[in-house]
Amino acid sequence: MIIDFHTHIFPDKIAAEALTSLEGTSGFKRAIEGTAAHLLEAMEQNGVDYSVLLPVATNVRQVGRINDYALELQNQNSKLIAFAGMHPDHPGIKGELERVKALGARGVKIHSDFVGHDCDDAATVNCVRICAELELPVLLHGGCDPSFPELPRCTPHRVYRLTKAVPQATLIIAHMGGYRRYDEALLYLKDTSVYLDTSAALGWCYDKSVDRIIKEFPKDRLLFGTDSPWDTVPAALKVLRSAGLSPQELEDICCNNAKRLLNGYL
């Protein structure tokens, strides 16, 4: 079984425009079109059993709408697993999180760069604390975002401080703990309870410094992810399968660790 723990989709009517805009600001090029249909097609072609959808709330007004869309897709197709997007400035964080949890959301995504908050500031700490109270894992973008290269708001050091502020939270840090900050991720996060996902660290964006994390980070806290539509499953798996992992370690990263985090959903 393969679970892709980091994917993004857009409604059909805005997908092309949204991806073109993101390509312009990030310098990345899409690997597939970012719609639900294209994601499901790629999953079928590449043997992916489940994909976790990660809505990104860039402003407070979007929150309810993007969460409803992700939950609707989950209801329509059991291969899609919805997280909820959240913005730390939302005036009704607890009520919205209670609502989406009751509707089946399996966790929460916060992108610190897009919401304009450091991951260890008071607003984000409050949001993460509420998630912890509701037993909802939180996935945070980690490290530099190419669209905001001058403002890395979720560095491994800041994540470490967040773990001290909300020690009961279940945290997943995308992009191997910090895009282009892999040594810092090992330094600050290896001895915490934090999970890392492999998105935007394998495939076309791989560099050899990622090897240290694959080798040294606890294998029961690594999660396979592609950041689709930006990377592909074959490219990411090729790197992972050549990393000298045992069959059990590879299975844990691609499947078992995700199943445990999803609390028996699968």
Side-chain angles (χ1 to χ4, degrees):
M1 179 185 289
I2 298 175
I3 300 171
D4 187 340
F5 215 92
H6 194 128
T7 71
H8 303 284
I9 53 90
F10 302 86
D12 293 359
K13 64 182 180 181
I14 67 166
E17 181 181 355
L19 287 173
T20 298
S21 176
L22 288 168
E23 285 176 337
T25 57
S26 70
F28 290 176
K29 296 297 180 184
R30 74 194 83 174
I32 66 170
E33 298 302 320
T35 68
H38 284 94
L39 175 61
L40 288 164
E41 180 182 9
M43 290 169 62
E44 179 70 23
Q45 291 172 348
N46 297 304
V48 175
D49 298 274
Y50 299 94
S51 286
V52 176
L53 306 178
L54 301 175
V56 176
T58 61
N59 61 65
V60 170
R61 298 183 305 277
Q62 288 180 327
V63 170
R65 183 171 69 252
I66 65 172
N67 291 342
D68 288 344
Y69 180 62
L71 289 162
E72 178 184 354
L73 291 173
Q74 177 176 263
N75 290 336
Q76 291 173 352
N77 195 305
S78 62
K79 292 180 176 293
L80 302 179
I81 300 168
F83 271 38
M86 183 46 68
H87 195 296
D89 292 333
H90 193 285
I93 290 175
K94 186 171 184 180
E96 174 64 7
L97 292 178
E98 289 174 337
R99 181 184 79 88
V100 295
K101 181 178 180 179
L103 292 173
R106 302 295 162 177
V108 175
K109 168 64 185 278
I110 303 172
H111 196 306
S112 300
D113 301 78
F114 277 100
V115 301
H117 282 279
D118 296 337
C119 72
D120 59 341
D121 74 6
T124 304
V125 166
N126 175 63
C127 185
V128 170
R129 183 173 288 118
I130 294 170
C131 291
E133 291 170 358
L134 294 172
E135 298 183 332
L136 288 167
V138 178
L139 192 148
L140 291 150
H141 172 90
C144 171
D145 187 293
S147 295
F148 304 90
E150 74 286 359
L151 289 173
R153 293 187 176 275
C154 191
T155 63
H157 191 201
R158 290 188 183 279
V159 173
Y160 177 78
R161 293 201 290 257
L162 179 59
T163 68
K164 297 302 182 182
V166 195
Q168 69 274 31
T170 299
L171 298 176
I172 306 151
I173 310 304
H175 317 314
M176 284 297 201
Y179 183 71
R180 304 303 187 196
R181 289 175 176 260
Y182 307 121
D183 290 340
E184 187 182 344
L186 272 175
L187 176 65
Y188 286 108
L189 304 180
K190 179 181 177 181
D191 296 324
T192 69
S193 62
V194 166
Y195 290 78
L196 310 184
D197 81 31
T198 68
S199 65
L202 307 177
W204 64 268
C205 44
Y206 164 78
D207 74 55
K208 289 188 176 181
S209 58
V210 172
D211 292 344
R212 281 195 64 210
I213 293 187
I214 298 175
K215 179 180 179 181
E216 298 179 28
F217 203 83
K219 307 304 183 290
D220 61 347
R221 296 189 352 248
L222 291 177
L223 303 163
F224 178 73
T226 62
D227 209 5
S228 178
W230 304 110
D231 203 357
T232 67
V233 170
L237 281 178
K238 181 179 180 181
V239 174
L240 205 55
R241 286 169 172 161
S242 65
L245 298 166
S246 71
Q248 183 62 59
E249 289 171 335
L250 191 61
E251 183 179 354
D252 287 346
I253 293 168
C254 290
C255 172
N256 295 335
N257 299 338
K259 288 176 70 176
R260 184 174 65 252
L261 268 178
L262 293 169
N263 293 321
Y265 172 69
L266 304 179

